[in-house]
Amino acid sequence: MRTKFAYDEWMESRGVPVHRGYFVRDVRALELSWWEQRKCDAAFIQLAGQEGVSEARVTEIKPGETLPAYKLAIDEVVYVVSGRGVTNVWSDEAPTPRSFEWQDHAMFLIPNNHQRQFANMQGNETVRLLHYNYLPLAMSVVPDPDFFLNNPYVPRASSMQNQDFYSEAKIIAGGDALRWGDVERQRAFWYGNFFPDMRAWDKLDALSQRGAGGKSVMIQFAGSDMSCHMSVFPHATYKKAHRHGPGRVIVIPGGEGYSVMWQEGQEKVMVPWQEASLFVPPNKWFHQHFNLGPTDARYLAFHPPTQFHGYSEKVEDRAKDQIEYPNEDPWVRQYFEEELAKRSLKSLMPEPAYKDPDYEWKAA
Ligand SMILES: [Fe+2]
């Protein structure tokens, strides 16, 4: 058990389930219960790898319902696990609500200190939202929930008044708006506060160093320190094992497969996944993603503050933080091929990739 933080005490006293462990098989089916204050069914997800850095919370909205508005003093990312609805965002300085509609697999940012109200626009389907923010970390600095949830502060110049605030996010050329700690600034990235469909997005760059012909897009929320990335990799392939810091919550917009996570020299944890699965690689644990489905698989990784990259996603020391295919435990390949065979599929991993650690994958 890790140290209990101020956030844990607040979270555990809300009276709704707290889901722990290493993964959630399906956020759409996760057990929730009534949260009187928010007037909805909800649950917290605090997996081992979140390590008291990041919050993940699930909210359900019944058909046709509008939830009461609430304020949060820090930035928050919302991912639409399922359903269709509308969000209104405002503050006392910008009292005319900015309103935008969303559906399955959309993602958006709610800026700090703004009121937000979520509504379900459908009369027959429930909505499930996944919320991600740094509240656990923030409450280690100010251990008073009211400071974050009941604070009368109104930001003076609201960037949200800018009409582009919730227009569709765009790919822009590299530059300082990208706030990631350790990437090449010239690389293009996806920038904005509203991303209509993470499952459909196909403007991706090759990410050759992680293998499997994988592609990815870096995502930066406008006017925020928050960021994330999404990776897409072809069917019947798998990526290289790597490791980094804590707090990165991964959700699957589409695809089918599994990931293996392990601390060096320790037992492996198997994480089966499909659409709406969620998992978090623990701090400094190796993890490796395998696509067992007939189509591309994609995962969306919400980043902790870049101070927590730790072992970085870029992998500064490849020998230490990434396992090249020729160096991996033979079990890795064998198990993958067995699992594919059960589905009458064959591995599309090229044989030379197992021999040459500098094997250059051709982008699909
Ligand atoms: Fe990772």
Side-chain angles (χ1 to χ4, degrees):
M1 280 294 280
R2 64 163 168 78
T3 307
K4 197 176 249 201
F5 302 111
Y7 169 82
D8 296 314
E9 285 167 18
W10 174 79
M11 172 181 69
E12 287 165 9
S13 59
R14 296 307 89 196
V16 301
V18 177
H19 297 276
R20 301 183 196 273
Y22 295 107
F23 65 93
V24 170
R25 189 78 174 90
D26 189 344
V27 175
R28 297 168 299 190
L30 189 70
E31 186 207 341
L32 312 177
S33 73
W34 186 249
W35 188 352
E36 177 56 27
Q37 202 182 2
R38 297 270 167 95
K39 304 287 184 213
C40 64
D41 283 326
F44 291 93
I45 298 170
Q46 191 61 217
L47 304 182
Q50 282 167 263
E51 322 246 8
V53 173
S54 52
E55 170 175 280
R57 194 176 80 249
V58 179
T59 296
E60 185 168 275
I61 316 172
K62 299 269 184 301
E65 279 195 357
T66 299
L67 299 184
Y70 66 94
K71 240 177 118 176
L72 180 63
I74 58 175
D75 290 353
E76 177 168 272
V77 178
V78 179
Y79 173 73
V80 182
V81 176
S82 63
R84 199 152 65 81
V86 61
T87 301
N88 283 299
V89 184
W90 70 93
S91 74
D92 289 347
E93 277 291 304
T96 308
R98 295 298 305 275
S99 182
F100 56 95
E101 292 179 14
W102 36 260
Q103 58 184 12
D104 299 28
H105 314 113
M107 178 174 76
F108 50 89
L109 179 106
I110 308 289
N112 65 82
N113 293 295
H114 283 72
Q115 297 281 354
R116 78 282 325 265
Q117 185 168 46
F118 305 113
N120 185 340
M121 292 199 322
Q122 287 178 300
N124 50 355
E125 304 275 339
T126 57
V127 160
R128 281 208 175 188
L129 302 177
L130 171 68
H131 308 254
Y132 178 84
N133 62 53
Y134 308 150
L135 189 57
L137 188 64
M139 283 184 62
S140 282
V141 182
V142 181
D144 180 349
D146 280 344
F147 184 83
F148 299 101
L149 297 163
N150 192 23
N151 190 327
Y153 171 73
V154 176
R156 259 189 312 180
S158 176
S159 58
M160 206 198 59
Q161 284 166 290
N162 177 345
Q163 286 305 305
D164 287 340
F165 195 81
Y166 282 119
S167 59
E168 192 173 325
K170 295 179 179 69
I171 290 284
I172 63 169
D176 287 343
L178 181 62
R179 300 174 74 87
W180 286 31
D182 61 352
V183 293
E184 310 140 48
R185 296 276 166 202
Q186 62 271 31
R187 197 177 155 175
F189 56 98
W190 204 7
Y191 184 75
N193 286 316
F194 180 66
F195 302 79
D197 191 347
M198 302 309 288
R199 190 174 159 115
W201 186 258
D202 60 0
K203 295 180 185 66
L204 305 147
D205 288 326
L207 184 71
S208 54
Q209 74 268 22
R210 199 55 52 75
K215 296 174 172 188
S216 74
V217 60
M218 303 192 290
I219 299 162
Q220 178 69 56
F221 297 99
S224 175
D225 256 13
M226 296 186 81
S227 65
C228 56
H229 76 279
M230 183 167 65
S231 279
V232 179
F233 67 113
H235 69 283
T237 66
Y238 64 90
K239 304 191 64 163
K240 295 174 188 175
H242 67 283
R243 59 182 174 179
H244 46 66
R248 287 179 171 223
V249 170
I250 296 172
V251 67
I252 306 290
E256 187 195 335
Y258 63 96
S259 294
V260 183
M261 313 196 296
W262 73 99
Q263 193 169 16
E264 201 161 9
Q266 304 289 313
E267 217 170 297
K268 292 179 166 66
V269 172
M270 305 298 292
V271 179
W273 47 256
Q274 61 186 43
E275 181 182 345
S277 294
L278 182 152
F279 60 100
V280 183
N283 187 28
K284 300 175 195 171
W285 283 36
F286 281 108
H287 48 283
Q288 190 163 14
H289 309 304
F290 299 79
N291 185 347
L292 285 180
T295 61
D296 283 358
R298 52 181 65 206
Y299 58 86
L300 171 62
F302 303 105
H303 297 172
T306 47
Q307 291 95 326
F308 285 81
H309 267 209
Y311 288 87
S312 83
E313 187 68 21
K314 193 181 173 193
V315 181
E316 279 140 12
D317 183 348
R318 284 172 64 133
K320 195 174 81 189
D321 299 332
Q322 177 165 288
I323 302 174
E324 303 301 323
Y325 296 120
N327 302 332
E328 68 190 17
D329 181 341
W331 172 87
V332 172
R333 179 179 182 178
Q334 192 192 327
Y335 183 82
F336 179 61
E337 290 176 355
E338 284 168 12
E339 287 299 305
L340 284 174
K342 285 183 198 167
R343 294 160 176 80
S344 307
L345 294 171
K346 274 204 157 51
S347 172
L348 295 179
M349 297 291 288
E351 194 60 40
Y354 291 104
K355 304 211 163 69
D356 176 9
D358 296 317
Y359 177 76
E360 286 278 338
W361 217 289
K362 285 192 200 73

